[in-house]
């Protein structure tokens, strides 16, 4: 069989992070598109999410980043991790969550409450921010493992 070669096989972590990255492309946020995928202990995807406004509010709020808090996206956006948890089709206990961006402290609380045991992330651009440091403290206290996946795309 000359000229025949097998395709390159990606790892399961690359595959699952690709699901999160693909989900992020659904976000209409012009500056930060985030995605998340929840994978149960059996290796099945049970939840996907991306950052966006609450259902029914998509045309009401602005994607502005600066100015009065009430007129920025920060007051209204539902993060990818929260949407993935809300969209989960099965029990999330013991699951992994693959995130395109390291979770904030608010999402960290939801992840712990959902029983997710491992957070795998692609970007940590806010590593030294207060909300990122608080998220790490929450994960550490709850025994949630944090793994940065480099070059997952």
């Amino acid at each position: 069989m000359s000229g025949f070669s097998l395709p390159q096989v990606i790892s399961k972590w690359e595959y699952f992070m690709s699901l999160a990255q693909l989900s992020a492309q659904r976000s209409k946020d012009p500056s930060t598109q985030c995605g998340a995928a929840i994978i149960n202990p059996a290796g099945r995807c049970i939840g996907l999410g991306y950052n966006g406004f609450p259902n029914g509010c998509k045309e009401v709020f602005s994607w502005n980043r600066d100015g009065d808090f009430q007129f920025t996206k920060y007051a209204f956006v539902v993060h990818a991790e929260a949407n993935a948890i809300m969209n989960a089709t099965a029990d999330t206990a013991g699951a992994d969550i693959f995130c395109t961006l390291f979770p904030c402290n608010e999402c960290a609380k939801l992840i712990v409450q959902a029983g997710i045991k491992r957070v795998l992330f692609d970007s940590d651009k806010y590593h030294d921010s207060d909300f990122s440091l608080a998220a790490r403290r929450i994960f550490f206290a709850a025994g949630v493992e944090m793994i940065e996946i480099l070059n997952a795309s």
Side-chain angles (χ1 to χ4, degrees), residues 68-85:
D68 182 351
F69 181 72
Q70 288 294 316
F71 297 99
T72 67
K73 67 179 183 176
Y74 301 111
F76 307 103
V77 167
V78 181
H79 289 180
E81 301 89 341
N83 276 322
I85 291 167

Side-chain angles (χ1 to χ4, degrees), residues 30-102:
S31 63
T32 308
Q33 293 182 308
C34 294
I38 300 173
I39 311 302
N40 72 6
R44 292 185 179 90
C45 181
I46 59 169
L48 296 170
Y50 55 90
N51 58 320
F53 294 130
N55 291 332
C57 301
K58 292 171 184 24
E59 305 303 323
V60 176
F61 302 121
S62 166
W63 288 108
N64 290 337
R65 297 175 63 181
D66 300 314
D68 182 351
F69 181 72
Q70 288 294 316
F71 297 99
T72 67
K73 67 179 183 176
Y74 301 111
F76 307 103
V77 167
V78 181
H79 289 180
E81 301 89 341
N83 276 322
I85 291 167
M86 292 298 299
N87 291 334
T89 58
D91 186 10
T92 57
D96 294 339
I97 187 165
F98 287 75
C99 307
T100 59
L101 184 62
F102 186 82

Side-chain angles (χ1 to χ4, degrees), residues 122-138:
D122 186 5
S123 172
D124 196 13
K125 69 179 181 177
Y126 300 112
H127 184 274
D128 295 323
S129 68
D130 288 342
F131 60 84
S132 187
L133 295 171
R136 281 180 171 71
R137 289 184 66 192
I138 291 166

Side-chain angles (χ1 to χ4, degrees), residues 99-149:
C99 307
T100 59
L101 184 62
F102 186 82
C104 71
N105 60 304
E106 294 299 321
C107 289
K109 292 185 273 187
L110 295 174
I111 289 166
V112 168
Q113 289 300 94
I116 294 169
K117 293 300 180 191
R118 191 162 52 178
V119 174
L120 301 100
F121 57 97
D122 186 5
S123 172
D124 196 13
K125 69 179 181 177
Y126 300 112
H127 184 274
D128 295 323
S129 68
D130 288 342
F131 60 84
S132 187
L133 295 171
R136 281 180 171 71
R137 289 184 66 192
I138 291 166
F139 289 146
F140 182 76
V144 173
E145 187 177 1
M146 298 163 275
I147 301 171
E148 184 170 12
I149 299 178

